[in-house]
Amino acid sequence: MKRPLAWLAGALGLAGAYRALKQRPEPAPAPVADEVDPRAEELRRRLEEAKPLVAEREQERFEAGEQPLDEADPEARRRDVHERARAAIEEMRRPADGDRD
């Protein structure tokens, strides 16, 4: 009795799979090349207008981060780097809360 029941279950499973595949919705048709969406054209125009503004802002941000050579103090920068390194080393050497014996 086990074999006919298995065959029946398999047949029902195949029928269900076939039906599910057959009922898949068709993809939406692609827009015709001749049709131009006015919203898309407006967006393209606005993006083209914004490109120079974005480049200008990036240039200003880059220049704001620069420091003129006559104002640079390499010794102060070196001291700052060493102080941060020492603080990081001390932080790593400190035992964690769970490492106490």
Side-chain angles (χ1 to χ4, degrees), residues 10-74:
L12 287 174
L14 285 175
Y18 174 74
R19 192 169 177 196
L21 290 174
K22 189 177 176 182
Q23 290 182 354
R24 272 196 284 183
E26 293 183 21
V32 180
D34 295 340
E35 295 179 17
V36 178
D37 186 1
R39 296 175 299 170
E41 290 301 320
E42 173 67 17
L43 181 58
R44 284 187 189 101
R45 185 189 62 76
R46 289 174 57 196
L47 285 172
E48 286 300 319
E49 289 176 1
K51 283 182 182 178
L53 297 175
V54 170
E56 183 179 321
R57 287 181 187 160
E58 288 176 355
Q59 182 66 25
E60 289 173 0
R61 192 176 316 138
F62 176 75
E63 290 173 354
E66 292 182 349
Q67 185 177 24
L69 287 176
D70 58 345
E71 295 177 11
D73 184 10

Side-chain angles (χ1 to χ4, degrees), residues 74-88:
E75 288 301 319
R77 172 79 175 132
R78 189 173 297 124
R79 281 191 303 272
D80 181 51
V81 169
H82 283 284
E83 288 172 10
R84 288 188 300 169
R86 285 186 191 106

